[in-house]
Each structure stands twice: as C-alpha cells, then as structure tokens.
Amino acid sequence: MQILYAIQGTGNGHLMRALDVVPLLQARVEALGGQLDILVSGPPADLPLPFAVKYRVGGMGFLFGKKGGINFVKTFRQFNSAEFVHDIRHLPVESYDLVINDFEPVSAWACRLRHRPCVALSHQSAVLHPAAPRPEQEDPAGRAVLRHYAPSTAQYGFHFQAYAPGIATPVIRRQVRELTPTDEGHYTVYLPAFDEKTLVERLRYLSRSVQWEVFSKHSQQPADYGNVRVWPVSGGDFLQSLARAHGVLCGAGFETPAEALYLGKKLLVVPMKQQYEQQCNAAALDKMGVPVVRGLKDKHLDRLDDWLHRGQPVPVHYPDRTGQVLDQLLAEQLGIKMA
C-alpha cells in the first residue's frame, strides 16, 4: 500500500498539524505493510520538519504583506506557472492507493487531471462546510478561490468547534499538550502580515507598560524596543512564550488561535485583509466570545485597550482525537479497519 500525504507549506499552520498527523499516519501505514510518502509545497518552512520529505514543489503560495494583508504583487511575481503546470503533470499520483491532502494544490490538481481520488484532511474543508460560521459580508470570489485552490473528492475537516459530522476539533500538537501553562504577564504577538516597524510602533502606542513578545516573519535577529521584544519566527521560542503568556494577539489563522485557547490564554485576533478563510475564522471565534478587531489603526485601539484590561479566556474542550479521525478516513476511503 502506497499513500501520499501532501501538505501546504505556506505559513506554519499546516506544517504544525503535520507534526502530529505524520507520525500517527506513518504508524498506521507501516502496520499495514505499506509506505507513506510526504510532499510539501511552497517556500522553505520556518519550522524544522522531523520527517523525510520525498517531494518538494513550488506550489502556489501567498506572500504576506506588511500592512495587514497579502502582498498580491510579490505573490504574482514569485508564482512560476510553468513550474506549477510541470509539477502537476509529472507528480506520479497514479502510483498511490490514496492521496491525502492538506490544502496542497499540486497533488490536488494532479489527481483531478488523472481522475484520481484526492481526500482533503484540512481546516479549509471545515471552513467550506455549510454548517461552519460565515462572515456577515460574503466574499464570493474568496470562497471560490478557497473551494477550487485544492479540489478534493472527499473531505475531513478541523475547526474551532465540531459544527457537524465530519468536522473535528483542532489538532493540538503533542508539544503543546505537554506544556505546563503559566502566567508571567506578557503578551505573545504573532501577526505575520505586519512588518516589525509597524508592530513596534502600534504596540508601544497602545501600551508602554505591557510587555510584548513579538514573533515576526520579517525579522532576522532578536531586537529590543523598550517594552517590545522582537524575535524571528522560531518554533521552540514561540511555544515557550505562548505557554508563559497572559494573553495572545494574533491573526485569525487556525493553529495559533486554537493552541492559545487550549492553553487557557485570553485571545484577540486580527484577521488578514482580503483573506476569506481568516474572515470565516474570525466569524467563528467571534461567536465563541473571542474579540476580533480589523486592524491596528487608531480607530481599533479602544477595543484593544478594553481587551488588555478586561479580556478573559474563552474555555474550550479539545480532546486528542487525531488518531480516531485518521482511522475513520482509512476505513471509509480504503475499507481498512485498524486494530
């Protein structure tokens, strides 16, 4: 039995989930006498991967801007359409009994081209489910991109809540489950769509007494700016900051907000502009009681200040059911029941 697990490498969220999914899936495939191969698309990852990657392809990722959104100009310039088409045509998906896809476009379109099944195991599958929360202002174009970016023939999703059958609560990686949360008073900040200068300026303007620990994709080395300390993105440093934080200020992605909620931290999210998935995530978090602000401009500071002084954690229950989801997927897609 040959199984391909394809992962979107843009950002860190999909790769963080893979840290738990890959070992569990590997154990199940090896127990069946089979082989699991890994594909990662997108730019080089900020997180080191503790498993072998057989295929690395350029894919079709997005580049973060510096003012709260996606940099569409740089995204377009770095996209190599000829390479993308070549990878789709030459990826040997027909050699695999099953392709499992975490929002990865090359393997998804290779399967579509060859009329092969492609099983989505992703947060995006849950976002697209009719039962999942939607923003008040719909975005048909954004929804269409989300639906067609990595087409699939079956869907298994993860979301902030189990809104319907086929949607599970988040995969909380083992490294996070093993943490012992404390409260050392600082705020952990991860807003990759803002540059270091903007974050430092706005956070110091908001409060010069609060200690901010900022993790920036745009920074190459640690730096201190009064009560704001900036680090390059690093898995170990970020986790330690998250575990010790009083609160977390981050984008409306999926993995970081889920981990902050799991650790019992008070949370506020700033969804990226022109990013439909994050707008949907923000709608879901808002319904759960998590504050949402649309930017870091002066008009948003009252809401941020209120959260700093009166915000409270939102309780969640995120049991470890990743293995059960994988068992269900293998049973339904291959007719295999694990012992």
Side-chain angles (χ1 to χ4, degrees), residues 99-112:
V99 175
I100 303 175
N101 182 291
D102 189 347
F103 203 55
E104 195 293 303
V106 172
S107 61
W109 281 101
C111 288
R112 173 68 65 91

mmCIF file with all atom_site columns, all heavy atoms in Angstrom, residues 99-112:
data_model
loop_
_atom_site.group_PDB
_atom_site.id
_atom_site.type_symbol
_atom_site.label_atom_id
_atom_site.label_alt_id
_atom_site.label_comp_id
_atom_site.label_asym_id
_atom_site.label_entity_id
_atom_site.label_seq_id
_atom_site.pdbx_PDB_ins_code
_atom_site.Cartn_x
_atom_site.Cartn_y
_atom_site.Cartn_z
_atom_site.occupancy
_atom_site.B_iso_or_equiv
_atom_site.pdbx_formal_charge
_atom_site.auth_seq_id
_atom_site.auth_comp_id
_atom_site.auth_asym_id
_atom_site.auth_atom_id
_atom_site.pdbx_PDB_model_num
ATOM 1   N N   . VAL A 1 99  ? -4.302  9.470  -1.914  1.00 0.00 ? 99  VAL A N   1
ATOM 2   C CA  . VAL A 1 99  ? -3.658  10.774 -1.741  1.00 0.00 ? 99  VAL A CA  1
ATOM 3   C C   . VAL A 1 99  ? -4.457  11.543 -0.701  1.00 0.00 ? 99  VAL A C   1
ATOM 4   O O   . VAL A 1 99  ? -5.658  11.786 -0.874  1.00 0.00 ? 99  VAL A O   1
ATOM 5   C CB  . VAL A 1 99  ? -3.595  11.567 -3.058  1.00 0.00 ? 99  VAL A CB  1
ATOM 6   C CG1 . VAL A 1 99  ? -3.021  12.968 -2.816  1.00 0.00 ? 99  VAL A CG1 1
ATOM 7   C CG2 . VAL A 1 99  ? -2.752  10.827 -4.097  1.00 0.00 ? 99  VAL A CG2 1
ATOM 8   N N   . ILE A 1 100 ? -3.789  11.897 0.402   1.00 0.00 ? 100 ILE A N   1
ATOM 9   C CA  . ILE A 1 100 ? -4.402  12.691 1.464   1.00 0.00 ? 100 ILE A CA  1
ATOM 10  C C   . ILE A 1 100 ? -3.811  14.084 1.377   1.00 0.00 ? 100 ILE A C   1
ATOM 11  O O   . ILE A 1 100 ? -2.590  14.250 1.302   1.00 0.00 ? 100 ILE A O   1
ATOM 12  C CB  . ILE A 1 100 ? -4.143  12.078 2.851   1.00 0.00 ? 100 ILE A CB  1
ATOM 13  C CG1 . ILE A 1 100 ? -4.668  10.639 2.894   1.00 0.00 ? 100 ILE A CG1 1
ATOM 14  C CG2 . ILE A 1 100 ? -4.801  12.911 3.943   1.00 0.00 ? 100 ILE A CG2 1
ATOM 15  C CD1 . ILE A 1 100 ? -4.337  9.906  4.192   1.00 0.00 ? 100 ILE A CD1 1
ATOM 16  N N   . ASN A 1 101 ? -4.659  15.092 1.405   1.00 0.00 ? 101 ASN A N   1
ATOM 17  C CA  . ASN A 1 101 ? -4.237  16.432 1.016   1.00 0.00 ? 101 ASN A CA  1
ATOM 18  C C   . ASN A 1 101 ? -4.622  17.462 2.069   1.00 0.00 ? 101 ASN A C   1
ATOM 19  O O   . ASN A 1 101 ? -5.787  17.575 2.432   1.00 0.00 ? 101 ASN A O   1
ATOM 20  C CB  . ASN A 1 101 ? -4.890  16.772 -0.334  1.00 0.00 ? 101 ASN A CB  1
ATOM 21  C CG  . ASN A 1 101 ? -4.487  18.132 -0.857  1.00 0.00 ? 101 ASN A CG  1
ATOM 22  O OD1 . ASN A 1 101 ? -4.855  19.152 -0.316  1.00 0.00 ? 101 ASN A OD1 1
ATOM 23  N ND2 . ASN A 1 101 ? -3.742  18.121 -1.954  1.00 0.00 ? 101 ASN A ND2 1
ATOM 24  N N   . ASP A 1 102 ? -3.617  18.198 2.580   1.00 0.00 ? 102 ASP A N   1
ATOM 25  C CA  . ASP A 1 102 ? -3.881  19.306 3.492   1.00 0.00 ? 102 ASP A CA  1
ATOM 26  C C   . ASP A 1 102 ? -3.728  20.619 2.724   1.00 0.00 ? 102 ASP A C   1
ATOM 27  O O   . ASP A 1 102 ? -2.708  21.305 2.813   1.00 0.00 ? 102 ASP A O   1
ATOM 28  C CB  . ASP A 1 102 ? -2.943  19.258 4.696   1.00 0.00 ? 102 ASP A CB  1
ATOM 29  C CG  . ASP A 1 102 ? -3.323  20.274 5.779   1.00 0.00 ? 102 ASP A CG  1
ATOM 30  O OD1 . ASP A 1 102 ? -4.140  21.172 5.494   1.00 0.00 ? 102 ASP A OD1 1
ATOM 31  O OD2 . ASP A 1 102 ? -2.808  20.166 6.906   1.00 0.00 ? 102 ASP A OD2 1
ATOM 32  N N   . PHE A 1 103 ? -4.747  20.927 1.929   1.00 0.00 ? 103 PHE A N   1
ATOM 33  C CA  . PHE A 1 103 ? -4.845  22.183 1.179   1.00 0.00 ? 103 PHE A CA  1
ATOM 34  C C   . PHE A 1 103 ? -3.610  22.431 0.321   1.00 0.00 ? 103 PHE A C   1
ATOM 35  O O   . PHE A 1 103 ? -3.065  23.522 0.274   1.00 0.00 ? 103 PHE A O   1
ATOM 36  C CB  . PHE A 1 103 ? -5.074  23.348 2.139   1.00 0.00 ? 103 PHE A CB  1
ATOM 37  C CG  . PHE A 1 103 ? -5.714  24.545 1.495   1.00 0.00 ? 103 PHE A CG  1
ATOM 38  C CD1 . PHE A 1 103 ? -6.911  24.432 0.817   1.00 0.00 ? 103 PHE A CD1 1
ATOM 39  C CD2 . PHE A 1 103 ? -5.123  25.804 1.588   1.00 0.00 ? 103 PHE A CD2 1
ATOM 40  C CE1 . PHE A 1 103 ? -7.512  25.546 0.224   1.00 0.00 ? 103 PHE A CE1 1
ATOM 41  C CE2 . PHE A 1 103 ? -5.709  26.925 1.003   1.00 0.00 ? 103 PHE A CE2 1
ATOM 42  C CZ  . PHE A 1 103 ? -6.898  26.785 0.318   1.00 0.00 ? 103 PHE A CZ  1
ATOM 43  N N   . GLU A 1 104 ? -3.192  21.382 -0.392  1.00 0.00 ? 104 GLU A N   1
ATOM 44  C CA  . GLU A 1 104 ? -1.981  21.448 -1.219  1.00 0.00 ? 104 GLU A CA  1
ATOM 45  C C   . GLU A 1 104 ? -2.400  21.366 -2.682  1.00 0.00 ? 104 GLU A C   1
ATOM 46  O O   . GLU A 1 104 ? -2.966  20.362 -3.108  1.00 0.00 ? 104 GLU A O   1
ATOM 47  C CB  . GLU A 1 104 ? -1.047  20.295 -0.833  1.00 0.00 ? 104 GLU A CB  1
ATOM 48  C CG  . GLU A 1 104 ? 0.368   20.449 -1.341  1.00 0.00 ? 104 GLU A CG  1
ATOM 49  C CD  . GLU A 1 104 ? 0.464   20.355 -2.841  1.00 0.00 ? 104 GLU A CD  1
ATOM 50  O OE1 . GLU A 1 104 ? 0.012   19.309 -3.377  1.00 0.00 ? 104 GLU A OE1 1
ATOM 51  O OE2 . GLU A 1 104 ? 0.950   21.309 -3.482  1.00 0.00 ? 104 GLU A OE2 1
ATOM 52  N N   . PRO A 1 105 ? -2.110  22.382 -3.517  1.00 0.00 ? 105 PRO A N   1
ATOM 53  C CA  . PRO A 1 105 ? -2.692  22.451 -4.857  1.00 0.00 ? 105 PRO A CA  1
ATOM 54  C C   . PRO A 1 105 ? -2.080  21.523 -5.902  1.00 0.00 ? 105 PRO A C   1
ATOM 55  O O   . PRO A 1 105 ? -2.792  21.048 -6.792  1.00 0.00 ? 105 PRO A O   1
ATOM 56  C CB  . PRO A 1 105 ? -2.485  23.913 -5.251  1.00 0.00 ? 105 PRO A CB  1
ATOM 57  C CG  . PRO A 1 105 ? -1.283  24.347 -4.474  1.00 0.00 ? 105 PRO A CG  1
ATOM 58  C CD  . PRO A 1 105 ? -1.367  23.604 -3.170  1.00 0.00 ? 105 PRO A CD  1
ATOM 59  N N   . VAL A 1 106 ? -0.770  21.247 -5.842  1.00 0.00 ? 106 VAL A N   1
ATOM 60  C CA  . VAL A 1 106 ? -0.138  20.452 -6.902  1.00 0.00 ? 106 VAL A CA  1
ATOM 61  C C   . VAL A 1 106 ? -0.707  19.031 -6.922  1.00 0.00 ? 106 VAL A C   1
ATOM 62  O O   . VAL A 1 106 ? -1.148  18.527 -7.965  1.00 0.00 ? 106 VAL A O   1
ATOM 63  C CB  . VAL A 1 106 ? 1.397   20.425 -6.728  1.00 0.00 ? 106 VAL A CB  1
ATOM 64  C CG1 . VAL A 1 106 ? 2.028   19.432 -7.706  1.00 0.00 ? 106 VAL A CG1 1
ATOM 65  C CG2 . VAL A 1 106 ? 1.975   21.821 -6.939  1.00 0.00 ? 106 VAL A CG2 1
ATOM 66  N N   . SER A 1 107 ? -0.713  18.362 -5.783  1.00 0.00 ? 107 SER A N   1
ATOM 67  C CA  . SER A 1 107 ? -1.239  16.995 -5.739  1.00 0.00 ? 107 SER A CA  1
ATOM 68  C C   . SER A 1 107 ? -2.736  16.969 -6.024  1.00 0.00 ? 107 SER A C   1
ATOM 69  O O   . SER A 1 107 ? -3.245  16.052 -6.671  1.00 0.00 ? 107 SER A O   1
ATOM 70  C CB  . SER A 1 107 ? -0.960  16.364 -4.378  1.00 0.00 ? 107 SER A CB  1
ATOM 71  O OG  . SER A 1 107 ? -1.585  17.103 -3.335  1.00 0.00 ? 107 SER A OG  1
ATOM 72  N N   . ALA A 1 108 ? -3.460  17.986 -5.554  1.00 0.00 ? 108 ALA A N   1
ATOM 73  C CA  . ALA A 1 108 ? -4.906  18.029 -5.779  1.00 0.00 ? 108 ALA A CA  1
ATOM 74  C C   . ALA A 1 108 ? -5.223  18.129 -7.268  1.00 0.00 ? 108 ALA A C   1
ATOM 75  O O   . ALA A 1 108 ? -6.081  17.396 -7.793  1.00 0.00 ? 108 ALA A O   1
ATOM 76  C CB  . ALA A 1 108 ? -5.521  19.203 -5.025  1.00 0.00 ? 108 ALA A CB  1
ATOM 77  N N   . TRP A 1 109 ? -4.521  19.014 -7.962  1.00 0.00 ? 109 TRP A N   1
ATOM 78  C CA  . TRP A 1 109 ? -4.799  19.162 -9.394  1.00 0.00 ? 109 TRP A CA  1
ATOM 79  C C   . TRP A 1 109 ? -4.206  18.017 -10.212 1.00 0.00 ? 109 TRP A C   1
ATOM 80  O O   . TRP A 1 109 ? -4.742  17.672 -11.282 1.00 0.00 ? 109 TRP A O   1
ATOM 81  C CB  . TRP A 1 109 ? -4.288  20.524 -9.878  1.00 0.00 ? 109 TRP A CB  1
ATOM 82  C CG  . TRP A 1 109 ? -5.252  21.608 -9.499  1.00 0.00 ? 109 TRP A CG  1
ATOM 83  C CD1 . TRP A 1 109 ? -5.153  22.474 -8.459  1.00 0.00 ? 109 TRP A CD1 1
ATOM 84  C CD2 . TRP A 1 109 ? -6.491  21.885 -10.140 1.00 0.00 ? 109 TRP A CD2 1
ATOM 85  N NE1 . TRP A 1 109 ? -6.250  23.285 -8.401  1.00 0.00 ? 109 TRP A NE1 1
ATOM 86  C CE2 . TRP A 1 109 ? -7.083  22.958 -9.415  1.00 0.00 ? 109 TRP A CE2 1
ATOM 87  C CE3 . TRP A 1 109 ? -7.157  21.350 -11.237 1.00 0.00 ? 109 TRP A CE3 1
ATOM 88  C CZ2 . TRP A 1 109 ? -8.325  23.491 -9.779  1.00 0.00 ? 109 TRP A CZ2 1
ATOM 89  C CZ3 . TRP A 1 109 ? -8.390  21.883 -11.592 1.00 0.00 ? 109 TRP A CZ3 1
ATOM 90  C CH2 . TRP A 1 109 ? -8.965  22.933 -10.879 1.00 0.00 ? 109 TRP A CH2 1
ATOM 91  N N   . ALA A 1 110 ? -3.129  17.406 -9.730  1.00 0.00 ? 110 ALA A N   1
ATOM 92  C CA  . ALA A 1 110 ? -2.618  16.200 -10.393 1.00 0.00 ? 110 ALA A CA  1
ATOM 93  C C   . ALA A 1 110 ? -3.652  15.083 -10.329 1.00 0.00 ? 110 ALA A C   1
ATOM 94  O O   . ALA A 1 110 ? -3.862  14.352 -11.307 1.00 0.00 ? 110 ALA A O   1
ATOM 95  C CB  . ALA A 1 110 ? -1.307  15.763 -9.743  1.00 0.00 ? 110 ALA A CB  1
ATOM 96  N N   . CYS A 1 111 ? -4.307  14.953 -9.177  1.00 0.00 ? 111 CYS A N   1
ATOM 97  C CA  . CYS A 1 111 ? -5.376  13.951 -9.051  1.00 0.00 ? 111 CYS A CA  1
ATOM 98  C C   . CYS A 1 111 ? -6.557  14.295 -9.945  1.00 0.00 ? 111 CYS A C   1
ATOM 99  O O   . CYS A 1 111 ? -7.141  13.409 -10.595 1.00 0.00 ? 111 CYS A O   1
ATOM 100 C CB  . CYS A 1 111 ? -5.835  13.862 -7.593  1.00 0.00 ? 111 CYS A CB  1
ATOM 101 S SG  . CYS A 1 111 ? -4.668  13.062 -6.482  1.00 0.00 ? 111 CYS A SG  1
ATOM 102 N N   . ARG A 1 112 ? -6.923  15.572 -9.986  1.00 0.00 ? 112 ARG A N   1
ATOM 103 C CA  . ARG A 1 112 ? -8.044  15.974 -10.850 1.00 0.00 ? 112 ARG A CA  1
ATOM 104 C C   . ARG A 1 112 ? -7.729  15.680 -12.317 1.00 0.00 ? 112 ARG A C   1
ATOM 105 O O   . ARG A 1 112 ? -8.584  15.184 -13.064 1.00 0.00 ? 112 ARG A O   1
ATOM 106 C CB  . ARG A 1 112 ? -8.311  17.472 -10.625 1.00 0.00 ? 112 ARG A CB  1
ATOM 107 C CG  . ARG A 1 112 ? -9.351  18.088 -11.574 1.00 0.00 ? 112 ARG A CG  1
ATOM 108 C CD  . ARG A 1 112 ? -10.754 17.572 -11.338 1.00 0.00 ? 112 ARG A CD  1
ATOM 109 N NE  . ARG A 1 112 ? -11.274 17.937 -10.044 1.00 0.00 ? 112 ARG A NE  1
ATOM 110 C CZ  . ARG A 1 112 ? -11.970 19.046 -9.788  1.00 0.00 ? 112 ARG A CZ  1
ATOM 111 N NH1 . ARG A 1 112 ? -12.215 19.909 -10.760 1.00 0.00 ? 112 ARG A NH1 1
ATOM 112 N NH2 . ARG A 1 112 ? -12.440 19.256 -8.573  1.00 0.00 ? 112 ARG A NH2 1
#
